[in-house]
Amino acid sequence: MKTIKIAILALLMVCAIMPAKAQTEGQVNYQLFKEAYRNKDYNRAYELMQWLFANYPKCGENLYINGANVFKTKISETQDQNLRNKYIDSLMVLYDLRVENFGKPEVHLGRKALDLQNILGKNGIERYYKLYAEAIEKGGDKVDANYVYCFFAATVDYVKAGFAEGTLVVDNYDIASDYLDNQLRIQTEAWNASKEAGDAAKIEKDSVKVANIIGFIANVERDFAPYADCDQLVEIYTKKFEADPKNIDLLKKITGIMGKKKCVKSPLYFKATENLYALEPTPASALKVGNMCYNQKRYSDAITYLKAAIEGITESKDLYTANIVLGLCYRETNSFSQARSAFYAAAKEDPSKGEPYLQIASLYASSASSASGDGLGGRSAYWAACDKANKAKSIDPSCANDANKLIGSCSARFPKQADAFMLDLKNGQGFVVPGWIGESTTVRTH
């Protein structure tokens, strides 16, 4: 394959200053090629292709589209293994030349890998896995979601075939899941934009793209499941960590994947997180250490790290997480007002989430005694708690079950009508909960 490519590239250099006569000959041969291909005269098309690749490689992308089909036809029809291998190698070179002359490596390198996979099957895993990896490396974040999934599926087969250790699956899961999550975000934004514009055709097209990406994400998660158990992740990474505990790239992989899979109670995660922060004290590593300290019930330490993270983090999703955990830490240290402020900050970062309001509702319910100045034994706090729980489920149906449970529990603690009457309070009347809660709410009895 290398020899074929060098020969063709050498010819390309020679023809860089091709005279007008050769240009005319190239145009004629290109038309002859298209005619031969249209008539399914693949032998003639193949002869013309060879000349065009060497002398007129930029005549048009149809040369590469139709040329790939010619090669695949010859591969399927050829019984001679040596000749078949020659055609396979030439097909691979065709894709390289297409990228050199027309760009778009994110498209053509993925297709190159997929063609080789379809031709060779799993017996060719050593070859086509490397092509998928090259497509991911050179194509960047423009690689189609289909090829990203193929890359990960090939990774699993590559490891199963004994060409690499299980760490490769974990590493490439990290790459594939990040790619797909990013593509889902971009495509969802495009879908929302098309809905705002009222473009029915584009709405349908974008919705299909979103559904496809969600499907690829599900497939990646399914294929990764056998490797995703926390014990297996610890086993996979412990040897690497012990061999090189100050390798920042390795520490980022360990903390990233174990954090994503919620394996945050493992001693390995703790050690890797601490090492990462010591070597690279960034907002991102501060967030990881803060989460770790929270899980270890080191709430004061967690607050320090989380506040440092919040000062430097720019991503809304990370700010949301940091503020939620910060609020939980403040709650555990009985700093209720600060906990509420943190939960409100989280709600600001992601208005679609009901969790911040549900946390505030729980905070009010658990600290009802602080509102004892209401003359009702603090039971007015349950009104405010129900208000927040109702808001939580109104903006985020996914938390409706938890919200309804809290509402049911709080409603059972409402004051009796007779108790409210003694204070000249009526159902529906406005009321301000005393103490640190200070919420405006309405009177409710049972």
Side-chain angles (χ1 to χ4, degrees):
M1 176 178 175
K2 185 176 180 181
T3 302
I4 296 172
K5 186 172 182 179
I6 290 173
I8 293 177
L9 291 177
L11 284 169
L12 289 178
M13 293 176 67
V14 171
C15 68
I17 52 174
M18 187 170 23
K21 181 180 178 181
Q23 287 278 2
T24 302
E25 185 180 1
Q27 292 169 1
V28 170
N29 282 341
Y30 184 44
Q31 292 303 317
L32 291 172
F33 164 76
K34 290 195 292 186
E35 182 180 351
Y37 180 80
R38 188 166 50 249
N39 294 329
K40 296 185 179 181
D41 184 355
Y42 293 147
N43 289 329
R44 176 60 175 155
Y46 175 69
E47 292 173 0
L48 291 163
M49 276 167 48
Q50 291 180 303
W51 189 94
L52 289 166
F53 285 137
N55 298 284
Y56 200 32
K58 292 187 177 182
C59 56
E61 283 205 75
N62 277 338
L63 170 65
Y64 297 87
I65 297 170
N66 298 337
N69 291 332
V70 170
F71 278 130
K72 284 186 276 189
T73 299
K74 284 191 164 293
I75 290 166
S76 65
E77 293 177 349
T78 301
Q79 300 300 317
D80 185 311
Q81 190 59 48
N82 290 330
L83 187 56
R84 188 171 184 268
N85 290 338
K86 175 187 173 183
Y87 290 143
I88 292 172
D89 290 344
S90 297
L91 175 63
M92 298 297 98
V93 171
L94 176 148
Y95 281 111
D96 294 335
L97 291 176
R98 186 172 182 181
V99 171
E100 289 169 17
N101 287 287
F102 295 96
K104 295 186 178 180
E106 70 276 5
V107 176
H108 305 314
L109 294 180
R111 189 173 290 139
K112 172 184 177 182
L114 183 59
D115 273 356
L116 189 63
Q117 180 179 359
N118 290 335
I119 292 167
L120 299 181
K122 287 192 176 182
N123 290 333
I125 182 60
E126 187 176 12
R127 288 183 64 183
Y128 67 74
Y129 162 73
K130 294 175 182 177
L131 294 183
Y132 280 125
E134 181 187 12
I136 295 294
E137 179 185 355
K138 294 183 178 179
D141 59 6
K142 294 181 180 179
V143 178
D144 187 82
N146 175 50
Y147 298 134
V148 176
Y149 168 63
C150 288
F151 158 70
F152 183 69
T155 301
V156 174
D157 289 338
Y158 189 72
V159 169
K160 286 181 178 179
F163 293 113
E165 296 180 359
T167 50
L168 185 66
V169 175
V170 182
D171 292 346
N172 286 357
Y173 166 80
D174 203 23
I175 294 171
S177 60
D178 282 351
Y179 269 58
L180 291 172
D181 287 345
N182 185 53
Q183 289 188 15
L184 180 61
R185 177 184 59 78
I186 293 171
Q187 196 56 56
T188 300
E189 289 174 357
W191 187 22
N192 290 333
S194 63
K195 285 189 284 189
E196 289 179 8
D199 187 337
K202 197 168 187 307
I203 290 172
E204 183 176 357
K205 183 178 179 180
D206 287 338
S207 69
V208 170
K209 289 181 178 180
V210 168
N212 286 339
I213 295 172
I214 291 173
F216 289 131
I217 290 173
N219 289 342
V220 167
E221 293 295 335
R222 179 200 65 206
D223 291 353
F224 184 59
Y227 302 86
D229 178 81
C230 290
D231 290 338
Q232 288 178 303
L233 292 175
V234 169
E235 182 180 352
I236 285 171
Y237 275 127
T238 294
K239 290 181 181 179
K240 284 183 173 287
F241 174 79
E242 290 176 347
D244 197 0
K246 294 185 178 181
N247 183 322
I248 290 179
D249 290 337
L250 175 62
L251 295 173
K252 287 179 178 178
K253 286 181 180 179
I254 293 173
T255 56
I257 194 68
M258 295 189 75
K260 188 178 291 185
K261 289 301 174 182
K262 304 190 185 305
C263 303
V264 295
K265 294 183 179 181
S266 162
L268 173 63
Y269 179 80
F270 297 158
K271 293 175 185 176
T273 302
E274 288 178 328
N275 284 15
L276 179 59
Y277 188 76
L279 293 166
E280 191 177 86
T282 64
S285 58
L287 175 57
K288 289 178 179 177
V289 176
N291 283 327
M292 179 191 72
C293 290
Y294 170 74
N295 286 314
Q296 291 181 321
K297 299 184 179 180
R298 294 161 46 193
Y299 302 120
S300 295
D301 291 337
I303 289 170
T304 299
Y305 286 115
L306 290 167
K307 288 172 70 176
I310 289 168
E311 288 179 4
I313 289 173
T314 57
E315 287 288 333
S316 288
K317 65 177 183 178
D318 292 331
L319 281 168
Y320 173 84
T321 300
N323 278 295
I324 287 290
V325 180
L326 180 62
L328 294 173
C329 290
Y330 277 131
R331 174 175 177 166
E332 293 293 338
T333 57
N334 296 319
S335 302
F336 299 138
S337 182
Q338 289 168 296
R340 177 173 60 187
S341 295
F343 291 137
Y344 274 135
K348 182 179 178 181
E349 292 301 328
D350 191 344
S352 69
K353 296 287 188 183
E355 181 184 12
Y357 297 102
L358 197 57
Q359 291 291 354
I360 294 172
S362 178
L363 198 61
Y364 288 170
S366 65
S367 61
S369 60
S370 67
S372 58
D374 62 4
L376 297 165
R379 284 176 287 177
S380 63
Y382 297 118
W383 298 334
C386 283
D387 293 342
K388 296 301 179 187
N390 275 311
K391 181 164 185 175
K393 70 176 184 176
S394 72
I395 63 176
D396 185 1
S398 70
C399 66
N401 287 338
D402 290 335
N404 287 334
K405 288 178 183 177
L406 184 58
I407 291 168
S409 175
C410 289
S411 298
R413 291 175 170 80
F414 285 172
K416 293 180 180 179
Q417 189 172 9
D419 294 334
F421 178 76
M422 294 298 293
L423 296 174
D424 199 24
L425 297 175
K426 298 179 181 178
N427 283 321
Q429 180 180 335
F431 189 88
V432 177
V433 181
W436 77 271
I437 294 176
E439 289 276 3
S440 294
T441 184
T442 56
V443 174
R444 277 151 284 179
T445 62
H446 67 82

